[in-house]
Amino acid sequence: MALIVHKYGGTSMGSVERIQNVAKRVAKWMRAGHQVVIVPSAMSGETNRLLGLAKDINPDANPRELDQIASTGEQVSSGLLALALMREGVDAVSYAGWQVTVHTDSAFTKARIKSIDDKKILADLNAGRAVVVTGFQGVDPNGNITTLGRGGSDTSAVAMAAALKADECLIYTDVDGVYTTDPRVCEDARRLDRITFEEMLEMASLGSKVLQIRSVEFAGKYKVKTRVLSSLTDPLMPLAEEMKSGTLITFEEDSTMEAAVISGIAFARDEAKITVLGVPDRPGIAYQILGPIANANIDVDIIIQNQSFEGKTDFTFTVPRADYQKALDLLKNNVQAHIEAKEITGDPKVSKVSVVGVGMRSHVGIASKMFRTLSEEGINILMISTSEIKISVVIDEKYMELAVRALHKAFELDQK
């Protein structure tokens, strides 16, 4: 008998029929003798609907009240799932995050989990119940309901698995695992049987939206065995088959991974590039440029500073496209004159493409192969960033899909 945490996304909970299918699947695990904790998301589209109502009433809605409103989506889906489980003959109980308790900090709309009280859950599990706990939410030290930000149910589930020392955390979603790249961009994309936490962390941070990045960080930190698999399969499929489906996220590389130098191609479409030209090359200049950007809550990704020439240098960095104009205006109005920069230019239509793989550690020539492949397709590289297990390039967005397909083929990711 194992203790398993199931997480179901909004699509999996999107209708009465799908909730009933989730209940059938959970009941199958329970009848096999396993203890099961289920962490559901709100029904598909519900969180957007609730937040839309809030913004219609007050465009400058208070974050505390937004969390109060948004948290109800998961409470509804949890209650509905508990009822569906009861109809399947399973003794079930649902809890909101503030009833268990999931303790968080007070950063409304983007709170972080501090700890989880597991006594109530363990008592219910030992009594033979299925326990449904709302994802995406918790409670701060002052008793306020908080939410964890988009995709927070993934983090809730992994944190729950860590607190309960679960044998495995199963993330059920509308895709059947982690792919070598997005199948919508490259039809030769292949589902991976397994991937390391490090690779998954890079894939998540580089634009792969299969899992929320914080959930991967949590899983790696607390060594939570995690599997991504589909909720759209037959809920009554044999348990042995289901337990081996999807993609397993592993702690360590194994001998079979040695052969796979690259595990996947990740990409981010909506990037923008800003260049500050003719900056005096002096200590603290990077902070003077990026400090105001950080204070405006704008994320900066790739950063390149050119070598100094005659006491001047150029400074280039990327930001999310949605923040491009805000960042550009901030630099031109508040920073340019202060730092005596010659000019500030930008390009809001760039994309980032990355090759990811733990095999890079022991193989040379990955970068040259990547650059040669892009060159043969006539794709100009605007920026380059590297780490131990990834190489990222910034290119013109119109070449992004071509780059992904070319690199996928060059690194033979379509082959097992």
Side-chain angles (χ1 to χ4, degrees):
M1 183 177 73
L3 197 169
I4 309 291
V5 173
H6 286 210
K7 182 268 175 178
Y8 292 92
T11 306
S12 310
M13 300 291 295
S15 66
V16 168
E17 182 185 2
R18 288 192 174 177
I19 291 172
Q20 290 170 333
N21 280 338
V22 168
K24 287 184 174 71
R25 192 181 300 275
V26 172
K28 176 183 68 180
W29 282 80
M30 296 282 290
R31 290 181 190 121
H34 298 293
Q35 294 180 318
V36 184
V37 175
I38 311 99
V39 179
S41 296
M43 296 176 75
S44 182
E46 182 64 6
T47 303
N48 285 341
R49 186 185 73 84
L50 292 167
L51 293 176
L53 288 172
K55 292 299 173 82
D56 286 345
I57 288 173
N58 185 347
D60 299 316
N62 178 284
R64 180 192 180 278
E65 302 309 322
L66 289 178
D67 278 1
Q68 188 86 348
I69 294 162
S71 64
T72 62
E74 276 71 18
Q75 291 177 39
V76 169
S77 62
S78 295
L80 292 174
L81 180 55
L83 291 175
L85 284 164
M86 292 173 193
R87 191 171 182 183
E88 289 293 322
V90 174
D91 188 5
V93 60
S94 70
Y95 294 111
W98 47 270
Q99 292 175 304
V100 171
T101 312
V102 178
H103 298 283
T104 74
D105 60 21
S106 300
F108 296 114
T109 74
K110 52 184 176 183
R112 288 187 173 269
I113 295 173
K114 289 183 171 181
S115 64
I116 297 176
D117 292 341
D118 59 8
K119 293 185 181 65
K120 194 180 292 186
I121 297 173
L122 289 172
D124 282 320
L125 291 173
N126 290 332
R129 296 187 186 95
V131 182
V132 187
V133 183
T134 53
F136 178 63
Q137 64 188 258
V139 61
D140 77 358
N142 300 314
N144 298 304
I145 294 174
T146 57
T147 67
L148 310 181
R150 286 311 173 99
S153 292
D154 288 349
T155 304
S156 299
V158 174
M160 193 67 65
L164 297 168
K165 296 180 172 57
D167 294 273
E168 193 160 348
C169 181
L170 305 181
I171 308 287
Y172 287 91
T173 180
D174 54 358
V175 295
D176 62 350
V178 180
Y179 277 70
T180 49
T181 194
D182 189 334
R184 291 168 297 185
V185 171
C186 179
E187 61 182 19
D188 294 328
R190 179 175 52 82
R191 182 177 61 80
L192 298 165
D193 292 328
R194 55 177 56 212
I195 188 172
T196 68
F197 278 103
E198 287 179 282
E199 290 171 323
M200 191 65 236
L201 195 58
E202 292 285 10
M203 295 283 275
S205 68
L206 294 167
S208 175
K209 294 180 173 59
V210 176
L211 284 179
Q212 192 210 35
I213 187 167
R214 271 198 291 165
S215 70
V216 184
E217 291 171 346
F218 225 107
K221 181 177 180 180
Y222 293 101
K223 297 286 191 288
V224 177
K225 191 177 177 184
T226 304
R227 184 179 296 273
V228 179
L229 64 172
S230 174
S231 66
L232 304 181
T233 54
D234 179 359
L236 300 180
M237 71 188 292
L239 194 57
E241 183 183 339
E242 187 170 340
M243 291 173 77
K244 293 180 180 179
S245 66
T247 301
L248 178 66
I249 305 174
T250 64
F251 307 118
E252 299 172 357
E253 305 156 47
D254 63 25
S255 57
T256 63
M257 291 183 182
E258 184 96 17
V261 182
I262 301 300
S263 292
I265 311 292
F267 59 86
R269 294 180 187 273
D270 300 323
E271 299 279 301
K273 176 172 70 79
I274 294 175
T275 300
V276 184
L277 296 161
V279 179
D281 189 11
R282 59 174 184 252
I285 199 68
Y287 172 72
Q288 289 177 290
I289 294 170
L290 296 180
I293 298 293
N295 292 338
N297 289 318
I298 298 172
D299 289 329
V300 172
D301 186 12
I302 297 177
I303 304 169
I304 292 176
Q305 182 173 339
N306 292 340
Q307 188 172 346
S308 175
F309 178 72
E310 295 182 350
K312 300 282 187 179
T313 187
D314 298 333
F315 195 91
T316 304
F317 59 95
T318 60
V319 296
R321 192 172 299 171
D323 292 322
Y324 169 71
Q325 197 59 50
K326 180 181 176 183
L328 200 64
D329 292 344
L330 178 65
L331 291 172
K332 287 185 175 180
N333 297 333
N334 301 344
V335 177
Q336 184 174 356
H338 176 67
I339 63 172
E340 301 172 347
K342 178 183 176 183
E343 188 181 357
I344 296 176
T345 64
D347 183 354
K349 293 185 176 182
V350 298
S351 293
K352 178 175 65 174
V353 177
S354 311
V355 296
V356 179
V358 292
M360 286 190 200
R361 291 177 177 144
S362 54
H363 290 76
V364 297
I366 304 302
S368 63
K369 186 173 187 176
M370 181 183 189
F371 302 154
R372 183 178 71 247
T373 300
L374 295 175
S375 172
E376 288 171 351
E377 296 293 341
I379 300 172
N380 187 39
I381 298 171
L382 306 175
M383 301 173 74
I384 301 169
S385 172
T386 65
S387 77
E388 193 177 20
I389 66 166
K390 79 150 193 309
I391 303 169
S392 298
V393 295
V394 174
I395 60 176
D396 192 306
E397 71 164 351
K398 67 185 177 186
Y399 296 120
M400 190 211 75
E401 294 194 6
L402 173 62
V404 170
R405 288 192 288 268
L407 291 169
H408 195 272
K409 183 177 180 181
F411 286 103
E412 300 179 344
L413 292 176
D414 53 336
Q415 301 172 27
K416 272 254 184 182

